[in-house]
Amino acid sequence: MRFLPRDEKFYDLFEAGVKKVVEGAVQLEEMIRNFTEVPLKARQIKEIEHEGDVITHRTIELLNLTFVTPLDREDIHDLITSLDDVLDYTEACAERLSLFKIDKTTDEAELLVGILVRSVKELEEAVFKLRRLKGADSVIKNCLEIDRLENEGDSVCRAAVAKLFEPENNPLEVIKWKEIYETLENAIDRCEDVANVLEGIVLKNA
Amino acid sequence: MRFLPRDEKFYDLFEAGVKKVVEGAVQLEEMIRNFTEVPLKARQIKEIEHEGDVITHRTIELLNLTFVTPLDREDIHDLITSLDDVLDYTEACAERLSLFKIDKTTDEAELLVGILVRSVKELEEAVFKLRRLKGADSVIKNCLEIDRLENEGDSVCRAAVAKLFEPENNPLEVIKWKEIYETLENAIDRCEDVANVLEGIVLKNA
Amino acid sequence: MRFLPRDEKFYDLFEAGVKKVVEGAVQLEEMIRNFTEVPLKARQIKEIEHEGDVITHRTIELLNLTFVTPLDREDIHDLITSLDDVLDYTEACAERLSLFKIDKTTDEAELLVGILVRSVKELEEAVFKLRRLKGADSVIKNCLEIDRLENEGDSVCRAAVAKLFEPENNPLEVIKWKEIYETLENAIDRCEDVANVLEGIVLKNA
C-alpha cells in the first residue's frame, strides 16, 4: 500500500514544503546579519512564503481527493499546516523589520535567527526520513534537538525582552523590538509543533 | 440521507450563525463611521456576539447527539467555530474602541472595517449555498474573493501600523491603535479560515 | 471495556495533570499576594509546569500506543492539551512578573489570580468525576461555574487595562502590565476550553 504513486506525491510535497521553510529561515538570517536593502529582502521572503502556501494548498487538495492515504489524514494535515506556520512567522519577522523602519538589528535578533535556522535544518532532516519510515530513533533524535533549541530560544528571548525594559529606552522602539523578538520566538516554537507531529507519526508507524 | 429533518437543522444553524456574523460587522462599521454613543454601541455588539455563542453552542450539542451528519463532523465543527471566531474579533474591536476611551477613529480603521463587511457578506453568500451543495464553483468564487480581501486588509493594516510609529506619536496611543488595527485584521483573517473550511466542504462533496 | 487497567491509567494521568494545574495556580496566587523572592518563586512554578509537560507527554504516548481508548481519542488529546495550556499561561505570568522586574503587584492582579484559582479548582472537581462517568449533571454544574468565572475575569481584566491608559502612566509600565493582565486572562480563558471538552465528553457518554 505504501508505495503507490499517489503516496510518493505526498512525500514529494512534504519535502518541497520543508525546503521552502529552510529557504525562508536562511534568507531571514542573511537579512539580519547583513542589514541592507531590507524592503527588497523582505519582499523576497514574502515570495518564498507564497510558494510555501501553494505547496500547503496542493497538499490539502490532494488529501481531500485521496481515499487511502500513506499516513493518517489528520497527521498529514497537521504536518503541512504546522510547517506552513513556521514559514508564516519567518515572513512576519522579515516584514516587521522592514515595516517598522528599523535602523540596525541587535545581537539578540542574530542569536534568535541562528537558533531558528538550526531548528528548521533538523526538521528538514526528519521530514526526509519519512518516505521510507525507517529510522524512527533517528527522527526522535532530530525532535529532541528541536526541543532543546526551543528552550534555548526561549531563554534568549526572555533576556532580550528584559533588556528592552531598561528605563532609558524609547517606548516606541520597545514596542517594535518586543514584537520582533516574539515573532522570532514564535517561529522557533512552531518548529516544536512540527516535531510533535513527526514524533506522533513515527511512533504510530514504527 | 441529505434531506432528513435533522440535516435541515444543521443548515438552519449555519445560516443563523453567519447572519449574526454579518450583523456584528455591519454594526461595527456603523460605530466606526458614526463615532458617538460608543459604549452603548459596544454593548449592542456584545449582545450580538452572545447570540452567536448560543448558536455555536447549539450546533455543537446537535453534533454530539447526531450519529449520521450531513457533512463530516470535523467540518461542521470547524465551520461553526471559525464563524464564531470572526464574531469574537469583531466584538473585541468594538470593546477596545470603547474601553480605550478613543476620541475619534481613523481613516485606516474605516478602511479595515469596510473590508471586514465585504468579507462577511461573501461568507454569507457562500454559506447559503451549502444546503443543496450545488454550485461548488460559485462557492469557490466567494472564497477567492475572501482571500483577495484578506490580502487587501493585510496591506492596509501594515501601512496603518507603520504610520503609528512616527516618532512624534504618543506611545500610549500607539499601543491602543496597534491593538485595534490588529484586532480588525484578525477578524478579516478569520474570514479566510471560514473560507478554507467551505472550500474543503465543497471539494469533498462536489 | 471501561475498566481495563489501561483505561485506569488514562484517568490516573488526567487526575495527575489537573493536580499540577491547581498546584501552579495556587503557587502563583501565593507569589502575587506575598510579592517577595519573586525569581525563586517563578522558578518553582516553572518546575511545576515542567512536571505538567511530562504528564501531557506520557498521555499522548499512551494514546498513540492504545488501540481501544476509554474516551474518544480526540477528546483525550484535547483534554490533556487544554489542561496543559492553562498551566503554560500560569507559568508565563509568573515568569513575566519576575522578568519585567516588577516592584509591586496590583489589586487587579490579585483579583485575577483569585479567579484563576477558583476556576482550576472547579476543573479539578470535574476531572475527578470522569473516571466513573457518573454525575453528568454535576460536571455540567462545574462547567457553568467556570463559564461564569471566565466572564468575571474578562470584566476585571477590561477595567484593569482601561486604568492602565491613564495619561500620566509610564508607557513602559503600561506595556508590562497589559501583558501580565492578558496572560492571566488567557489562563482563565483556557479553563473554559477545558470545560468545553469536559462538557462534550459527558454529553456523549451520558
Side-chain angles (χ1 to χ4, degrees):
Chain A
M1 195 72 90
R2 175 155 297 160
F3 300 106
L4 293 177
R6 181 158 275 182
D7 288 7
E8 295 301 307
K9 242 177 162 171
F10 277 109
Y11 294 109
D12 291 348
L13 286 164
F14 300 156
E15 293 173 4
V18 78
K19 273 184 181 168
K20 282 292 150 202
V21 172
V22 172
E23 202 182 327
V26 167
Q27 291 278 87
L28 181 63
E29 187 176 44
E30 197 286 325
M31 177 180 178
I32 287 175
R33 282 184 188 280
N34 182 9
F35 205 61
T36 57
E37 301 188 278
V38 172
L40 171 71
K41 289 173 183 173
R43 277 196 303 279
Q44 288 167 343
I45 295 172
K46 178 83 198 164
E47 183 51 38
I48 296 167
E49 186 249 355
H50 179 70
E51 290 160 13
D53 278 348
V54 171
I55 296 167
T56 304
H57 200 251
R58 265 189 218 154
T59 311
I60 290 173
E61 250 173 24
L62 184 62
L63 193 59
N64 282 329
L65 300 171
T66 306
F67 193 69
V68 179
T69 51
L71 303 170
D72 281 0
R73 312 186 72 77
E74 177 121 338
D75 288 335
I76 293 177
H77 181 269
D78 290 355
L79 177 58
I80 202 75
T81 56
S82 61
L83 275 173
D84 198 52
D85 287 346
V86 178
L87 191 46
D88 281 354
Y89 280 109
T90 303
E91 189 275 328
C93 181
E95 188 202 66
R96 276 159 184 73
L97 285 165
S98 169
L99 179 68
F100 293 172
K101 304 203 176 64
I102 301 291
D103 285 332
K104 58 186 190 60
T105 55
T106 63
D107 292 347
E108 288 84 0
E110 237 178 85
L111 276 170
L112 285 167
V113 77
I115 294 170
L116 175 63
V117 168
R118 280 187 284 154
S119 280
V120 297
K121 286 187 173 170
E122 294 288 335
L123 281 183
E124 189 182 31
E125 269 191 44
V127 168
F128 271 79
K129 291 169 188 166
L130 278 189
R131 194 185 288 263
R132 302 297 172 222
L133 269 184
K134 58 181 178 192
D137 282 5
S138 145
V139 170
I140 302 289
K141 233 178 98 183
N142 296 124
C143 295
L144 287 174
E145 177 62 11
I146 290 163
D147 281 11
R148 204 195 56 73
L149 287 165
E150 194 273 330
N151 284 325
E152 197 183 323
D154 205 46
S155 108
V156 173
C157 187
R158 269 190 211 192
V161 170
K163 206 172 138 187
L164 286 179
F165 285 119
E166 300 296 326
E168 70 275 15
N169 283 343
N170 174 333
L172 293 186
E173 294 302 307
V174 172
I175 299 171
K176 290 177 186 176
W177 277 103
K178 187 163 174 292
E179 184 157 328
I180 292 167
Y181 292 149
E182 288 171 351
T183 308
L184 274 166
E185 205 204 352
N186 276 330
I188 298 167
D189 281 359
R190 289 312 134 238
C191 293
E192 204 182 2
D193 290 348
V194 184
N196 287 341
V197 178
L198 290 168
E199 223 174 64
I201 289 173
V202 299
L203 286 176
K204 267 187 281 184
N205 294 278
Chain B
M1 197 72 89
R2 175 154 297 158
F3 300 106
L4 292 177
R6 183 159 272 183
D7 288 8
E8 295 301 306
K9 241 177 161 173
F10 276 110
Y11 294 109
D12 290 349
L13 287 163
F14 300 156
E15 292 174 4
V18 78
K19 272 183 183 170
K20 282 292 150 202
V21 172
V22 172
E23 202 182 325
V26 167
Q27 291 278 86
L28 181 64
E29 186 176 44
E30 197 284 326
M31 178 181 178
I32 288 175
R33 284 184 188 279
N34 182 11
F35 205 60
T36 57
E37 301 188 276
V38 172
L40 170 70
K41 289 174 183 173
R43 278 197 303 278
Q44 287 167 342
I45 295 172
K46 179 82 196 162
E47 183 51 38
I48 296 168
E49 187 249 356
H50 179 71
E51 290 160 12
D53 278 348
V54 172
I55 295 168
T56 304
H57 200 251
R58 265 191 218 153
T59 312
I60 290 172
E61 251 174 21
L62 183 62
L63 193 59
N64 282 330
L65 300 172
T66 306
F67 194 68
V68 179
T69 50
L71 304 168
D72 282 359
R73 309 185 74 76
E74 178 121 337
D75 288 334
I76 291 177
H77 182 268
D78 291 355
L79 177 59
I80 202 74
T81 56
S82 62
L83 275 173
D84 198 51
D85 288 345
V86 178
L87 191 46
D88 281 353
Y89 280 108
T90 303
E91 190 275 328
C93 180
E95 189 201 66
R96 276 160 183 72
L97 285 164
S98 169
L99 180 67
F100 293 171
K101 303 204 176 65
I102 301 291
D103 283 333
K104 59 187 188 61
T105 54
T106 64
D107 292 347
E108 288 84 0
E110 235 177 87
L111 275 171
L112 285 167
V113 77
I115 294 170
L116 175 63
V117 167
R118 281 186 283 155
S119 281
V120 297
K121 286 189 173 170
E122 294 288 333
L123 281 183
E124 188 182 31
E125 269 191 45
V127 168
F128 271 79
K129 290 170 189 166
L130 279 188
R131 193 185 288 261
R132 302 295 172 223
L133 270 184
K134 58 180 179 193
D137 282 5
S138 146
V139 170
I140 302 289
K141 235 179 98 184
N142 296 124
C143 295
L144 288 174
E145 176 63 9
I146 290 164
D147 281 11
R148 203 193 57 71
L149 287 165
E150 194 273 329
N151 284 325
E152 196 182 322
D154 206 45
S155 108
V156 172
C157 186
R158 272 189 208 193
V161 170
K163 207 173 137 186
L164 287 179
F165 284 118
E166 300 297 327
E168 70 274 16
N169 283 343
N170 174 332
L172 293 186
E173 295 300 309
V174 172
I175 300 171
K176 291 177 187 178
W177 277 103
K178 187 162 172 294
E179 183 157 328
I180 292 167
Y181 292 149
E182 288 171 352
T183 308
L184 274 166
E185 204 202 354
N186 276 330
I188 298 167
D189 281 0
R190 289 312 135 237
C191 293
E192 203 180 3
D193 290 348
V194 184
N196 287 340
V197 178
L198 290 169
E199 222 173 63
I201 290 173
V202 299
L203 286 176
K204 268 187 279 183
N205 295 278
Chain C
M1 195 72 91
R2 174 154 297 159
F3 299 105
L4 292 176
R6 182 157 274 183
D7 288 6
E8 294 301 307
K9 242 177 161 172
F10 277 109
Y11 294 109
D12 290 348
L13 287 162
F14 300 155
E15 291 173 6
V18 78
K19 271 185 183 168
K20 283 293 152 202
V21 172
V22 172
E23 203 181 325
V26 167
Q27 291 278 89
L28 181 64
E29 186 176 44
E30 196 286 326
M31 177 183 180
I32 287 175
R33 284 183 187 279
N34 182 10
F35 205 60
T36 58
E37 302 188 277
V38 172
L40 170 70
K41 289 174 183 173
R43 277 197 302 281
Q44 289 167 341
I45 295 173
K46 178 84 197 161
E47 185 50 40
I48 296 168
E49 188 249 356
H50 178 69
E51 291 160 12
D53 278 349
V54 172
I55 296 168
T56 303
H57 200 251
R58 264 190 218 154
T59 311
I60 290 172
E61 251 173 23
L62 183 63
L63 193 59
N64 282 329
L65 301 171
T66 305
F67 193 69
V68 179
T69 50
L71 304 170
D72 282 0
R73 310 185 74 77
E74 177 122 337
D75 288 335
I76 292 177
H77 182 270
D78 290 355
L79 177 59
I80 202 74
T81 55
S82 61
L83 275 173
D84 198 51
D85 287 345
V86 178
L87 191 45
D88 281 354
Y89 280 108
T90 302
E91 189 276 328
C93 181
E95 189 202 66
R96 275 159 185 72
L97 285 165
S98 170
L99 178 68
F100 294 171
K101 303 202 177 64
I102 300 292
D103 284 331
K104 60 185 188 62
T105 54
T106 63
D107 292 347
E108 287 84 1
E110 233 177 89
L111 276 170
L112 284 168
V113 78
I115 294 170
L116 175 62
V117 168
R118 280 187 284 154
S119 280
V120 297
K121 287 191 171 167
E122 294 287 333
L123 281 183
E124 189 182 32
E125 268 191 43
V127 168
F128 272 78
K129 289 170 189 166
L130 279 188
R131 194 184 288 261
R132 303 296 173 222
L133 269 184
K134 59 180 178 191
D137 282 4
S138 144
V139 170
I140 301 289
K141 233 178 98 184
N142 295 124
C143 295
L144 288 175
E145 177 62 10
I146 291 164
D147 281 12
R148 203 194 56 72
L149 287 165
E150 193 273 329
N151 284 325
E152 196 182 323
D154 205 46
S155 107
V156 173
C157 186
R158 271 187 207 192
V161 171
K163 206 173 137 187
L164 287 179
F165 285 119
E166 300 296 325
E168 70 275 16
N169 283 343
N170 174 333
L172 293 186
E173 295 301 308
V174 173
I175 299 171
K176 291 177 187 177
W177 277 103
K178 188 162 172 293
E179 184 157 329
I180 292 167
Y181 292 149
E182 287 171 353
T183 308
L184 275 167
E185 205 203 353
N186 276 330
I188 298 168
D189 281 359
R190 291 311 134 240
C191 293
E192 203 181 3
D193 290 349
V194 185
N196 287 340
V197 178
L198 290 169
E199 222 172 63
I201 290 173
V202 298
L203 286 177
K204 268 187 280 184
N205 295 278

